[in-house]
Amino acid sequence: SAVKAIDCLGEHLMNLEQLKLTESHILCVRELGSSFRNLEVLWLGRCHLQDLDGVTAMEELRELYIPFNDVADLSPLKWLDHLELLDAEGNAVALSEQDLDDLAKCAKLKDL
């Protein structure tokens, strides 16, 4: 299969609210670019994802599905004011006290 750059996708689909990239090869959320400002739901399951850096550009994100990846640090999520649901099953997260404090800053988070 061909490798395609998706970092400019958000520039063309600025009103996109849901994006499903399950089983893609995305190591860092930053690879998606910074134009998905209206994105509310993002699926990145089984994407070899390691880093959530860049997720803060998705200001309206309400649901984040990142199961079965290699994410160890959830701290970037503390800046997502609208996050309600996080699926991080099967990642490298150890959920330290600091991780729990960071997630507590997501005031609307209801499902973990």
Side-chain angles (χ1 to χ4, degrees):
S1 67
V3 175
K4 301 192 187 225
I6 58 173
D7 59 340
C8 64
L9 188 62
E11 295 171 19
H12 300 289
L13 301 170
M14 290 180 276
N15 293 319
L16 193 68
E17 293 179 357
Q18 297 186 12
L19 180 61
K20 191 172 223 177
L21 295 170
T22 303
E23 297 187 12
S24 299
H25 189 82
I26 300 168
L27 297 177
C28 180
V29 174
R30 188 169 298 288
E31 293 176 30
L32 300 178
S34 59
S35 299
F36 288 110
R37 299 201 190 292
N38 295 310
L39 197 66
E40 294 181 5
V41 183
L42 177 61
W43 289 272
L44 292 173
R46 299 182 191 275
C47 286
H48 310 280
L49 187 67
Q50 298 173 357
D51 194 344
L52 295 176
D53 190 38
V55 75
T56 55
M58 300 171 188
E59 300 166 357
E60 298 299 321
L61 198 62
R62 296 182 191 300
E63 298 180 18
L64 179 59
Y65 300 90
I66 55 168
F68 306 106
N69 282 295
D70 299 311
V71 175
D73 180 16
L74 297 177
S75 65
L77 300 178
K78 67 185 170 192
W79 306 111
L80 296 177
D81 295 332
H82 301 291
L83 190 65
E84 298 174 6
L85 184 147
L86 172 63
D87 178 357
E89 176 186 4
N91 278 275
V93 177
L95 279 186
S96 67
E97 190 170 325
Q98 182 61 50
D99 291 324
L100 293 173
D101 287 345
D102 287 342
L103 288 175
K105 293 175 183 165
C106 299
K108 294 185 179 181
L109 188 61
K110 296 183 279 190
D111 293 313
L112 178 61

